[in-house]
Amino acid sequence: MGHSFVLLYICLWTLTCSLLLHASSDGLLRIGLKKKHLDVETLNAAKSARKVITHMQKNGLHRSLADSDVDIVSLKNYMDAQYFGEIGIGTPPQNFTVIFDTGSSNLWVPSSKCYFSIACYFHHRYKASSSTTYTKNGESCEITYGSGAISGFFSQDHIQVGDLTIKDQVFIETTRESSLTFILAKFDGILGLGFPEISVGGCPPLWYSMVEQDLIDNKVFSFWLNRDADSTNGGEIVFGGVDPRHFKGEHTYVPVTREGYWQFNMGDFLIDGQSTGYCAEGCAAIVDSGTSLLAGPTTIVAQINHAIGAEGVVSMECKEVVKQYGELILELLIAQTRPDEVCSKVGLCIFDGARYVSAGIDSVVDKQKEEDLSLNQDLLCTACEMAVVWIENQLRGNKTKERILAYANELCERLPSPNGESTVSCDLIASMPNISFTIANKTFSLSPEEYVLKVDQGYASVCISGFMGFDMPAPRGPLWILGDVFMGAYHTVFDFGNKRMGFAKAV
C-alpha cells in the first residue's frame, strides 16, 4: 500500500489539531461580504437562520462572532483522520500544533529536554528558558492513549489559544513518546478537553481555566469538522459559543451521564432502518474528537461490516462455534433460554449470574500450554457471545434455520482486523445502507459517503469503513465512541455549564 494509506491507518486511532484564526488588531473579526440578488431561496434561508439564532439566544448559546468573550480556532484537516491546530506556549509564544481532544484532559507538548525519543526530533519542542512567564513544577507523569504512551513532567506557563491567553496553565513537557504514531503524526501534542476527573495529576483542563480567569462568558465550546479533505478550511472550534454558519436546524441535547469523558446514554442502533436490538435498552456512548473513526462493540461492528461489504480477518474460532454449536444455540433461543445464559449451557462459557467468565480448563501440561488453552477458551467464549446476538437478531425476522446459520457464518468473515479497521469496495459506496443512532429519541443517520474514508492512491482509491471494533469491559462498557466520523456529520456543542451535549446536522 502507498505511504499515505499507511499513514492513515496509523492515525485512525489517534487525536487531531488546528491553525488559529486571528482577529484584526481592533478586536473585531471581519468577514468579507459579496452582493447577491435576492430570490425566494435566499429569503427562506434567511428565515431559517433567524429561527436558529432565536433558539440559540433562548438557550444562552448565541454570541456574535466579534464579541470579546468568543474565541474561534480554525482547524486543518489531514485526510479526514487528523484535525489539528496551533496554540502558543510561553512569553513570547512558542507555537505548537495540537489535537483538541475531548477524550482526554491534559495538555502536553514535546520538551527541549526530550533526548531519547525520535518523535521529539520530528516536532517542535518547548524551551522553558526562552519564556519569561515559565514557572517550574517538575513533578513526573505518564499518560497512556489508545495509540501509545507519553511520559514527562509538569510545567506551568501562559497558553495562547486563538485570541485568548490563559495564564499559569499547568501542562506536560514530554521526554518520551513511545509510539510510531507520534513520529509520523502531523501534530506536536494534545490539548485535552475532557473533565477534570480524568486529568492526570489533577490539572485543570484548559476550558476550566478559561472560566476561572473570566475569559469566556458562556460555558460552552463547539466543534465543526469539515469532511472535505481538499478544502483549505478544515473546521473550527468556538470557545464560548457556536457558529450558526456551520449547522442547520436546532441542536438536540442530552445530559452528561458520567463525568470524565463526555458520556451520555444512547438508544437503539439501526442498520438501513432496521433495529439491531443491541442498544434497545440503552448503551453508554462518548463523543471523542480525538478518535478518527467510530468505535463500538465488535459484535455490532461485525454486523455493520457485513451490511456494507467490509472485509476483515477471518476468525476461525467464530466459524468453528457456528459450525459446531449454531443449531444448539438456535434451539436454546427458540426454547426461550435467556440469551446471557446460552453460552454457559453449551459449555463454552461459565455464567456467574451477572456476566460471562471463561470456562476453567484443568491441565497437567506445562504452564505455557495451560495459558494457550485458556486463551483459546476465552476466544471460543467470546465467539459464542457474538453468535448468540446475531442468531437472536435473525430470529426476530422469522428467518429459516439455514439462513440464520449462514448469516452468522458470514458475519464471522466480517470480523474486524486485529487493529479494528476494515476495507470496503469504493465502487459500492452508493449502494451501502445508512447507519443510524438513536439519541434523545431522535434518529441520527450516517450515509455511506459520511462513514467511509476514501484515500487516493495515484490512479486507484482505497476505502476504509468508518466503524471499528472496540470492546470496553464492564462496568464502563459496552461503550460506543463517536469520533470524527460522527462529528463530521453533526455539529457538536459541549456545554460544560449545563453538563450536556448538543448535536445538529453540520453544513
Side-chain angles (χ1 to χ4, degrees), residues 332-345:
L332 288 171
L333 289 172
I334 292 174
Q336 302 298 309
T337 303
R338 283 177 50 185
D340 57 4
E341 295 180 349
V342 168
C343 291
S344 63
K345 289 188 179 294

Side-chain angles (χ1 to χ4, degrees), residues 251-262:
H251 287 83
T252 297
Y253 286 93
V254 288
V256 173
T257 56
R258 184 173 182 176
E259 293 181 26
Y261 301 108
W262 287 87

Side-chain angles (χ1 to χ4, degrees), residues 226-433:
N226 188 355
R227 298 301 279 178
D228 181 2
D230 296 326
S231 174
T232 56
N233 184 2
E236 69 177 23
I237 303 174
V238 179
F239 289 97
V242 298
D243 188 339
R245 297 171 300 172
H246 295 311
F247 65 91
K248 61 182 178 181
E250 298 183 354
H251 287 83
T252 297
Y253 286 93
V254 288
V256 173
T257 56
R258 184 173 182 176
E259 293 181 26
Y261 301 108
W262 287 87
Q263 183 170 324
F264 66 99
N265 286 331
M266 187 178 73
D268 202 2
F269 187 85
L270 305 101
I271 301 175
D272 204 16
Q274 299 299 312
S275 169
T276 61
Y278 194 83
C279 289
E281 302 301 321
C283 283
I286 66 173
V287 182
D288 183 5
S289 61
T291 296
S292 302
L293 301 183
L294 202 157
T298 302
T299 302
I300 301 302
V301 170
Q303 292 188 54
I304 297 171
N305 284 340
H306 175 266
I308 68 177
E311 297 180 355
V313 174
V314 177
S315 170
M316 296 307 297
E317 290 82 6
C318 181
K319 294 174 75 73
E320 189 67 20
V321 166
V322 173
K323 179 181 178 181
Q324 292 193 23
Y325 301 95
E327 289 192 26
L328 180 55
I329 291 172
L330 181 58
E331 291 172 2
L332 288 171
L333 289 172
I334 292 174
Q336 302 298 309
T337 303
R338 283 177 50 185
D340 57 4
E341 295 180 349
V342 168
C343 291
S344 63
K345 289 188 179 294
V346 300
L348 294 179
C349 303
I350 296 175
F351 184 69
D352 66 1
R355 61 185 176 87
Y356 290 123
V357 293
S358 61
I361 299 177
D362 295 326
S363 175
V364 294
V365 297
D366 59 31
K367 184 177 180 182
Q368 183 62 50
K369 178 79 172 188
E370 183 176 320
E371 290 177 353
D372 291 344
L373 288 171
S374 179
L375 175 60
N376 183 61
Q377 192 69 17
D378 286 340
L379 293 173
L380 291 174
C381 177
T382 300
C384 180
E385 294 174 8
M386 291 192 289
V388 168
V389 174
W390 299 335
I391 291 173
E392 183 187 22
N393 175 267
Q394 291 297 291
L395 268 176
R396 286 195 291 267
N398 295 319
K399 303 290 178 62
T400 64
K401 179 182 72 173
E402 291 74 17
R403 183 61 210 134
I404 290 173
L405 296 180
Y407 175 78
N409 197 60
E410 290 170 6
L411 286 184
C412 287
E413 298 179 354
R414 301 302 186 185
L415 289 174
S417 68
N419 291 326
E421 303 91 3
S422 297
T423 59
V424 298
S425 172
C426 297
D427 296 333
L428 299 178
I429 290 178
S431 62
M432 293 177 187

Side-chain angles (χ1 to χ4, degrees), residues 89-144:
I89 302 180
T91 306
Q94 301 172 42
N95 293 333
F96 300 88
T97 55
V98 296
I99 288 170
F100 292 86
D101 174 31
T102 60
S104 64
S105 297
N106 292 88
L107 166 61
W108 64 262
V109 295
S111 173
S112 60
K113 298 178 181 179
C114 179
Y115 306 117
F116 303 109
S117 287
I118 297 175
C120 293
Y121 292 93
F122 283 86
H123 296 92
H124 299 97
R125 292 185 287 173
Y126 171 76
K127 190 173 183 179
S129 60
S130 297
S131 174
T132 60
T133 48
Y134 162 76
T135 301
K136 183 178 180 180
N137 180 305
E139 182 181 349
S140 62
C141 60
E142 182 176 348
I143 301 178
T144 300

